[in-house]
């Protein structure tokens, strides 16, 4: 379907015909600001049940930390708490690598099949697990490990740099 319909149409169809019927994202203010297929989607029904049961409570931004809790924006009272978990997003960083090992472009890391830096002279570095899957990640990472093993053993080879860069460009274009 991704090859036939535009991403926005397919996203709208999936969101209205399936996701909205399962869980009203607008009611719990967890609806993303983008279409489903405009980013790498992560589907998880565990989060919904925790919100519905009250196990997870969403709060606005923290205005102030106090000695025994926090004051949230719009509140005047201290909410006592032992721990604060701040979900502020994440960035992909590899501080153990030299800066020129991974090429970045507009905040994206250029990796062939989300694994191999194509500009390196030899396929001796693979970033495994740098993917977001629709389901469990472990089977996908196992497949990546098997492929890397075959490449390192010389039983298969990566395509030319031009082919790899063309594939990276296509993936970035589809993820915009």
């Amino acid at each position: 379907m991704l090859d036939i319909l535009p991403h926005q149409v397919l996203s709208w169809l999936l969101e209205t015909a399936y996701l909205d019927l399962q869980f009203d994202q607008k009611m719990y203010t967890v609806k993303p600001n983008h279409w489903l297929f405009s980013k790498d989607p992560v589907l998880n029904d565990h989060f919904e049940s925790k919100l519905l049961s009250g196990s997870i409570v969403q709060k606005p931004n923290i205005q102030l930390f106090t000695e025994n809790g926090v004051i949230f924006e719009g509140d005047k009272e201290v909410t006592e708490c032992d721990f604060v978990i701040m979900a502020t997003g994440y960035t992909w960083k590899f501080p153990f690598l030299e800066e020129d090992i991974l090429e970045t472009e507009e905040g994206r890391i250029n990796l062939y099949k989300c694994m191999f830096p194509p500009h390196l002279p030899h396929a001796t570095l693979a970033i495994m697990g740098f993917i977001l899957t629709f389901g469990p990640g472990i089977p996908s990472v196992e497949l990546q490990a098997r492929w890397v093993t075959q490449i390192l053993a010389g039983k298969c080879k990566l395509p030319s740099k031009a082919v790899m860069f063309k594939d990276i460009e296509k993936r970035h274009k589809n993820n915009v």
Side-chain angles (χ1 to χ4, degrees):
M1 298 275 293
L2 285 170
D3 293 333
I4 299 169
L5 295 173
H7 290 135
Q8 288 180 330
V9 172
L10 190 57
S11 292
W12 174 83
L13 185 62
L14 184 61
E15 288 174 25
T16 56
Y18 178 70
L19 293 177
D20 287 348
L21 299 177
Q22 300 292 320
F23 176 75
D24 188 357
Q25 297 178 14
K26 293 176 194 149
M27 180 186 297
Y28 290 93
T29 64
V30 294
K31 183 162 179 63
N33 295 329
H34 55 272
W35 292 100
L36 180 66
F37 289 114
S38 66
K39 302 283 184 189
D40 294 321
V42 177
L43 303 176
N44 181 342
D45 62 349
H46 190 67
F47 179 68
E48 300 164 356
S49 65
K50 294 296 183 184
L51 270 176
L52 291 170
S53 70
S55 298
I56 294 176
V57 178
Q58 290 180 285
K59 294 286 190 174
N61 290 331
I62 294 172
Q63 179 180 340
L64 179 70
F65 284 96
T66 66
E67 189 173 317
N68 60 348
V70 296
I71 299 175
F72 293 102
E73 286 181 356
D75 286 353
K76 302 231 187 269
E77 300 173 9
V78 173
T79 301
E80 292 186 14
C81 60
D82 296 321
F83 301 98
V84 174
I85 300 172
M86 298 180 72
T88 59
Y90 58 88
T91 58
W92 298 98
K93 293 185 180 180
F94 301 92
F96 48 87
L97 295 175
E98 293 178 17
E99 287 186 29
D100 62 340
I101 297 293
L102 296 178
E103 288 184 346
T104 60
E105 184 179 327
E106 298 178 18
R108 298 181 303 241
I109 299 173
N110 290 329
L111 295 173
Y112 175 65
K113 300 298 183 190
C114 299
M115 295 174 57
F116 293 98
H119 66 283
L120 295 180
H122 305 287
T124 56
L125 175 66
I127 309 291
M128 294 189 303
F130 191 60
I131 54 175
L132 295 173
T133 61
F134 281 106
I138 298 298
S140 300
V141 175
E142 180 183 351
L143 288 173
Q144 287 182 323
R146 289 177 184 215
W147 186 34
V148 169
T149 303
Q150 294 295 307
I151 289 173
L152 293 176
K155 294 186 177 181
C156 67
K157 297 194 180 302
L158 292 175
S160 69
K161 289 182 183 185
V163 170
M164 289 192 284
F165 278 114
K166 186 175 180 181
D167 183 79
I168 291 168
E169 185 179 318
K170 179 181 175 187
R171 183 173 40 83
H172 287 322
K173 183 179 173 189
N174 288 338
N175 283 341
V176 172

